[in-house]
Amino acid sequence: MMSYELYYWPGLQGRGEFVRLALEEAGADYLDVARLPPSGRREDANPQGTEHGIDAMMSILQSQNEPCIPFAPPFLRDGTTLVAQTANILLYLGPRLGLAPADEALRHWIHGLQLTIADMVTEAHDTHHPIANTLYFEQQRDAARQRAADFIANRIPKFMHYFERVLEQNPAGCAHLAGAALSYADLSMFQLIDGLRYAFPRATARFAAQYPKLTALHEAVRARPRIAAYLASPRRIPHNESCVFRHYAELDAR
Ligand SMILES: N[C@@H](CCC(=O)N[C@@H](CS)C(=O)NCC(=O)O)C(=O)O
């Protein structure tokens, strides 16, 4: 059995974190390639990245002969298979890691939920980069303030009411978004809530009262033994202002 290879920018949680959480929950054998030293020893990995590891990632992104060229990280290599796009990686890994059900309809429901999570992640990113990714936040501050105000007033409530309703209406019970067992979408929901609460602490101050079922899910995932061990480990990079979820006090609610 070869290790899964995860390729993602080092030094931040970012979209790679949705994949890491699934690999960690499953206790999977994986390498976070951009963090690896030339020896390849994961014990010597540097969460802030290594030149060797970043070069290995860039060589795939810029490859002239790779048939499946990813547009952007994260991407995953499993032997000869290369899979790009966060939700697609999780669709691939789900059944292999025991984090997706056998039932096809339920698997597609979970994939749809993951895509909706991805939509919200992009909107969270756009609060601090509403004009262009190539500009610094400081160069688009005014637009960012407007975008963040709308995100807080309209988009967080719309998405979160929806996800709370998904939990309420799960016929198998409200412990999970879909079906009776933990899926990768539950892990991703943990990460989405965690990121939003970090980025917008004032706007989400009443989160637990407004969204009790989502709050319970967030807490239940955080308490899972492998997730708790991961969160306490150096492999979990703290939230920071290089990520999709950034805390800028001026973008938070007043
Ligand atoms: N839809 C893609 C988005 C991938 C993406 O935007 N990756 C970022 C880092 S989180 C990136 O490196 N983007 C480079 C670019 O868009 O030029 C996914 O969910 O994986």
Side-chain angles (χ1 to χ4, degrees):
M1 272 289 286
M2 287 175 67
S3 308
Y4 290 111
E5 292 177 3
L6 170 64
Y7 293 80
Y8 192 67
W9 302 115
L12 63 150
Q13 296 179 10
R15 289 180 172 90
E17 199 66 11
F18 296 94
V19 182
R20 279 192 201 101
L21 285 168
L23 292 163
E24 291 282 348
E25 167 61 28
D29 181 9
Y30 79 101
L31 297 167
D32 207 330
V33 176
R35 300 176 175 184
L36 288 179
S39 68
R41 283 165 48 92
R42 79 191 76 199
E43 301 75 29
D44 302 331
N46 178 353
Q48 297 307 323
T50 62
E51 203 180 319
H52 169 82
I54 296 167
D55 284 352
M57 182 168 84
M58 296 315 289
S59 75
I60 295 180
L61 286 168
Q62 293 162 1
S63 153
Q64 301 291 316
N65 54 16
E66 182 72 61
C68 303
I69 320 159
F71 173 71
F75 53 92
L76 181 95
R77 196 196 275 290
D78 178 19
T80 55
T81 304
L82 196 61
V83 188
Q85 291 278 355
T86 312
N88 197 36
I89 298 168
L90 291 168
L91 182 68
Y92 176 83
L93 283 177
R96 289 169 172 80
L97 299 183
L99 290 170
D103 180 78
E104 192 186 10
L106 203 48
R107 263 211 310 251
H108 281 279
W109 168 225
I110 290 170
H111 184 50
L113 288 169
Q114 190 66 40
L115 290 167
T116 309
I117 291 171
D119 288 344
M120 192 178 189
V121 170
T122 296
E123 292 196 24
H125 165 273
D126 291 351
T127 60
H128 51 80
H129 277 74
I131 306 286
N133 286 351
T134 45
L135 297 176
Y136 291 109
F137 163 65
E138 290 74 16
Q139 295 171 290
Q140 44 195 319
R141 194 172 233 150
D142 291 343
R145 284 190 182 152
Q146 281 185 49
R147 184 67 186 256
D150 180 71
F151 184 70
I152 289 167
N154 298 313
R155 302 303 283 171
I156 294 182
K158 184 165 183 181
F159 276 107
M160 288 299 143
H161 277 123
Y162 166 73
F163 288 127
E164 181 82 1
R165 205 152 58 84
V166 169
L167 283 173
E168 262 163 29
Q169 292 177 208
N170 180 357
C174 60
H176 304 293
L177 285 170
L182 181 86
S183 76
Y184 61 79
D186 293 319
L187 302 173
S188 291
M189 184 53 60
F190 160 82
Q191 179 65 12
L192 178 63
I193 294 168
D194 216 61
L196 290 173
R197 294 182 83 166
Y198 168 76
F200 303 104
R202 285 197 298 261
T204 57
R206 295 184 50 249
F207 193 92
Q210 289 170 310
Y211 311 110
K213 294 187 171 56
L214 285 169
T215 303
L217 174 65
H218 179 260
E219 283 167 11
V221 169
R222 189 170 50 197
R224 294 184 72 83
R226 282 183 176 146
I227 296 292
Y230 166 63
L231 296 178
S233 79
R235 299 190 302 285
R236 168 80 166 186
I237 304 269
H239 289 291
N240 63 42
E241 280 53 61
S242 302
C243 190
V244 282
F245 301 110
R246 301 187 188 188
H247 176 62
Y248 294 123
E250 66 199 275
L251 299 188
D252 198 0
R254 301 278 133 205

